[in-house]
Amino acid sequence: RVGLLTELLLEMVFRDLQPLSLVEERGFRLLLGCLEPQFAPPSPSQLGSLLWHRYHGLKQLLETHLQSSLPSRSLALCAERWRSLGGGGTVGRLYLTVSVHFVDRDWRLARCVLETRALPELGEAGG
């Protein structure tokens, strides 16, 4: 049961873009204590390590799939520039996300985010 709960916690963090510190938040701990009082969630650093391991496994799987399942020139790379929202609706950080879109052998459309990085603002070093 511990393994399942840890996997579900990882899933929630990366699907909902939650911070790793979520596991230390009082409200989260109250909810978890009510639902599963015996479960001690991993620390933020342990959670980060588990996510990093999952990322590398998925990255290798994607690389293998792209190399073996797609004919050459059958994917599209997209670069999207976007800005997060800051606290109270203020303007947040500027980001660049690179993703790949392709149709696999079974004619399923797939989209994978390859990387997201914060971009320097104008006036910052390198911006």
Side-chain angles (χ1 to χ4, degrees):
R1 182 112 171 118
V2 169
L4 173 65
L5 291 170
T6 301
E7 284 300 313
L8 290 171
L9 179 57
L10 283 171
E11 188 83 14
M12 183 182 76
V13 166
F14 79 77
R15 282 197 186 270
D16 297 339
L17 302 176
Q18 294 294 327
L20 299 177
S21 61
L22 171 76
V23 295
E24 296 177 328
E25 299 292 331
R26 186 164 187 253
F28 177 79
R29 289 214 175 254
L30 285 171
L31 176 66
L32 193 59
C34 178
L35 297 175
E36 195 67 44
Q38 301 304 315
F39 177 64
S43 69
S45 62
Q46 290 170 322
L47 199 57
S49 187
L50 291 168
L51 281 170
W52 193 248
H53 179 72
R54 177 177 278 190
Y55 163 77
H56 280 290
L58 289 172
K59 180 181 173 187
Q60 288 176 338
L61 184 66
L62 177 61
E63 286 174 357
T64 301
H65 181 73
L66 290 175
Q67 289 171 358
S68 65
S69 300
L70 297 175
S72 61
R73 298 184 305 264
S74 62
L75 55 84
L77 285 174
C78 297
E80 302 170 70
R81 212 176 72 152
W82 56 278
R83 188 175 293 279
S84 66
L85 291 177
T90 61
V91 174
R93 297 270 339 221
L94 186 61
Y95 293 90
L96 177 69
T97 296
V98 177
S99 59
V100 63
H101 303 253
F102 58 92
V103 176
D104 67 13
R105 286 184 191 172
D106 298 320
W107 290 94
R108 292 179 299 212
L109 179 62
R111 175 182 186 260
C112 300
V113 172
L114 301 177
E115 186 157 3
T116 298
R117 286 206 178 176
L119 294 176
E121 298 288 341
L122 290 178
E124 285 184 18

